[in-house]
């Protein structure tokens, strides 16, 4: 079995709700590890994550410990960074055994060939403000200056404030198709000779399924700040979205 999740946003909200979401995510990881061949995390697992050379954010020890435990047991965990946790420098690879990816990536999952991506920074050419912000946040120069000139405590305060303001722009039920449109266009325009038969996205905080004009299946994983949803591919290569409740 292959499992998929995104937009957990660990650390979001008040202390009690943040701890409960962390507990629930750890519980999910523990449960799916019973039959998981691989686990795919498609970004924004953390509400804000930034790594310095010798410093990482405080907290998340239960999740980090569980991730390390699962990889130690031989379960492969792939982590595709999102717009809230793009600033990684290899800590999760070294300490937790994860495989990190910083852009849309093709995977052979079971007998299917899938393209996986968080979904941010895709087809934003008609949104100059967003394109500029993405370029600034991904700039190595800006990142180096941020690391050298800003104390980690102030950096984390800024990051948590930015994460909160960014989240307010996510889609509602009525705007799902509008939010999904640029991602569907990406799925349709991705080179047909790549033999991709399915695409999986996170980012828009809405779980759903669409078929692109070229016949490619497209899944949106949803999020965990409301009703948690995850994806699973069974041993017959059927992909489905499932809610995950408290236990």
């Amino acid at each position: 079995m292959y499992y998929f999740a995104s937009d957990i946003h660990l650390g979001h909200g008040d202390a009690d709700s943040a701890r409960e979401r962390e507990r629930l995510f750890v519980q999910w990881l523990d449960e799916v590890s019973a039959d998981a061949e691989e686990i795919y995390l498609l970004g924004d697992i953390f509400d804000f994550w930034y790594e310095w050379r010798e410093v990482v954010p405080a907290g998340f020890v239960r999740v980090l410990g569980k991730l390390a435990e699962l990889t130690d047991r031989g379960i492969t965990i792939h982590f595709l960074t999102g717009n809230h946790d793009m600033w990684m420098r290899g800590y999760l690879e070294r300490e937790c055994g994860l495989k990190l990816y910083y852009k849309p990536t093709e995977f052979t999952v079971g007998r299917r060939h899938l393209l996986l991506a968080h979904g941010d920074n895709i087809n934003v050419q008609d949104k100059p403000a967003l394109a500029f912000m993405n370029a600034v946040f991904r700039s190595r120069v800006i990142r180096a200056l941020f690391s050298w000139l800003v104390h980690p405590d102030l950096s984390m305060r800024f990051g948590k404030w930015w994460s909160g303001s960014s989240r307010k722009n996510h889609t509602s039920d009525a705007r799902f198709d509008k939010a999904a449109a640029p991602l569907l266009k990406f799925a349709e325009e991705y080179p047909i000779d790549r033999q991709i038969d399915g695409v999986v996205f996170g980012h828009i905080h809405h779980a759903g399924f669409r078929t692109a004009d070229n016949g490619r299946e497209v899944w949106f994983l949803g999020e965990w700040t409301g009703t948690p949803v995850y994806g699973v591919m069974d041993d017959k290569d059927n992909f489905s979205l499932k809610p995950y409740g408290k236990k």
Side-chain angles (χ1 to χ4, degrees):
M1 302 284 276
Y2 302 89
Y3 294 93
F4 305 76
S6 73
D7 297 275
I8 315 298
H9 286 279
L10 294 170
H12 164 59
D14 59 61
D16 289 341
S17 63
R19 179 59 57 83
E20 174 61 20
R21 193 177 317 107
E22 182 179 22
R23 184 199 67 79
L24 197 64
F25 184 51
V26 169
Q27 175 183 285
W28 179 79
L29 287 169
D30 196 46
E31 290 180 7
V32 303
S33 70
D35 60 3
E37 294 189 49
E38 295 181 321
I39 297 172
Y40 295 85
L41 304 177
L42 272 65
D44 287 2
I45 304 305
F46 303 96
D47 198 48
F48 180 71
W49 180 275
Y50 190 94
E51 291 180 26
W52 292 261
R53 188 178 300 277
E54 300 293 340
V55 177
V56 297
F60 316 120
V61 293
R62 293 162 182 80
V63 167
L64 299 180
K66 179 58 65 175
L67 293 172
E69 174 196 330
L70 299 191
T71 59
D72 285 348
R73 285 165 46 188
I75 298 173
T76 301
I77 302 179
H78 304 276
F79 191 122
L80 290 87
T81 59
N83 52 304
H84 286 252
D85 46 24
M86 70 176 82
W87 304 280
M88 293 188 175
R89 301 182 62 164
Y91 177 81
L92 295 182
E93 289 178 295
R94 296 190 304 271
E95 297 299 323
C96 300
L98 274 59
K99 296 181 180 294
L100 292 183
Y101 309 85
Y102 298 88
K103 60 183 180 179
T105 304
E106 299 175 20
F107 296 89
T108 299
V109 184
R111 291 178 292 273
R112 303 194 70 170
H113 200 46
L114 302 180
L115 176 66
L116 307 185
H118 178 64
D120 65 308
N121 204 31
I122 288 177
N123 284 334
V124 296
Q125 300 89 337
D126 61 339
K127 300 176 182 178
L130 179 59
F132 174 75
M133 182 179 68
N134 285 337
V136 168
F137 284 165
R138 286 172 170 79
S139 167
R140 292 186 178 182
V141 173
I142 297 298
R143 179 171 167 175
L145 292 173
F146 188 73
S147 296
W148 295 337
L149 300 178
V150 184
H151 189 279
D153 287 348
L154 295 177
S155 299
M156 293 304 298
R157 287 184 186 178
F158 167 78
K160 290 178 180 179
W161 168 83
W162 169 80
S163 294
S165 61
S166 172
R167 192 183 305 100
K168 295 175 183 178
N169 295 324
H170 281 304
T171 183
S172 63
D173 287 350
R175 298 180 59 206
F176 171 63
D177 285 328
K178 181 178 180 180
L183 303 184
L184 282 171
K185 182 179 179 182
F186 177 80
E188 291 165 359
E189 294 177 344
Y190 196 77
I192 196 68
D193 61 355
R194 298 301 301 168
Q195 301 298 315
I196 298 295
D197 61 354
V199 185
V200 185
F201 292 113
H203 186 53
I204 66 173
H205 282 218
H206 226 95
F209 170 79
R210 294 290 186 272
T211 301
D213 288 346
N214 58 8
R216 285 174 174 158
E217 298 178 332
V218 183
W219 294 274
F220 300 90
L221 290 176
E223 48 83 31
W224 285 53
T225 56
T227 300
V229 178
Y230 67 96
V232 58
M233 180 176 286
D234 62 24
D235 55 5
K236 296 182 180 179
D237 299 320
N238 298 313
F239 193 105
S240 58
L241 298 169
K242 298 181 180 293
Y244 186 72
K246 299 178 181 180
K247 297 182 181 180

